[in-house]
Amino acid sequence: MRVYGVTGWKNAGKTGLMERLVAEITGRGLTVSTVKHAHHSFDVDHPGRDSWRHRQAGASEVILASGYRVAQMTELRGAAEPPLAELLGRLSPVDLVLIEGYKREGHPKVEAFRAEAGTDLIAPGDPTIRAVASDTPLTLNRPVFDLNDTSAIADFILSEVGL
């Protein structure tokens, strides 16, 4: 499976870039899935709903299915977070998986960078970052794209993965 990441510090523009890349790449007729890492607790369910009640009662996994979508929730209940490779193995085949976050994993990435966030670039010390998408001009030893030039960033990623 072809994978490519979008990484960067908080408020660097990762999610907006991911959203635009998914729309751009699927608009070209390719299939895309995404994996997003969160550093905090989150819930995709709502208190009081049937599936929430199943999890609260102790279910390890709950699948919620309808004619529109299927969601699978897995409660870790103290177990370790699954590694990225395991999560990728759960996905159905697609042309490309875009991964948001997972800074320390070994897959190739584009770093999203906004000067106003006040953080340092990750790229200079990380060879897995193959390019930077920035809102300000930068001089680096790898390609630098305008953060809003989604088409050029998509072209770069698709070339990198051979699509």
Side-chain angles (χ1 to χ4, degrees):
M1 193 169 338
R2 293 174 174 104
V3 300
Y4 216 91
V6 173
T7 195
W9 298 114
K10 184 178 179 180
N11 297 321
K14 298 180 303 292
T15 301
L17 179 56
M18 284 281 291
E19 181 180 12
R20 293 189 310 273
L21 285 170
V22 169
E24 175 73 24
I25 295 169
T26 59
R28 296 180 186 193
L30 298 169
T31 55
V32 177
S33 289
T34 66
V35 176
K36 184 200 179 342
H37 189 259
H39 291 283
H40 50 80
S41 178
F42 66 90
D43 205 336
V44 296
D45 209 355
H46 301 285
R49 305 302 301 188
D50 294 349
S51 52
W52 182 87
R53 292 171 60 192
H54 296 181
R55 289 188 304 123
Q56 294 305 306
S60 296
E61 292 186 310
V62 175
I63 293 178
L64 180 59
S66 75
Y68 299 98
R69 70 189 52 89
V70 175
Q72 180 176 357
M73 293 165 281
T74 304
E75 292 294 319
L76 295 179
R77 305 216 188 273
E81 179 181 342
L84 178 59
E86 180 182 323
L87 297 174
L88 291 171
R90 295 180 187 184
L91 294 174
S92 298
V94 291
D95 296 315
L96 177 65
V97 178
L98 290 173
I99 300 167
E100 182 178 344
Y102 288 96
K103 287 180 197 67
R104 292 168 187 79
E105 293 288 334
H107 60 278
K109 304 169 193 76
V110 169
E111 178 178 357
F113 180 78
R114 279 197 184 126
E116 71 183 33
T119 56
D120 293 331
L121 276 168
I122 301 167
D126 187 341
T128 67
I129 296 175
R130 306 289 307 243
V132 175
S134 175
D135 68 349
T136 188
L138 300 170
T139 302
L140 292 171
N141 63 348
R142 61 201 83 190
V144 177
F145 297 96
D146 182 296
L147 183 59
N148 294 310
D149 192 351
T150 308
S151 179
I153 299 166
D155 288 344
F156 176 79
I157 290 171
L158 294 175
S159 174
E160 285 267 293
V161 299
L163 287 173

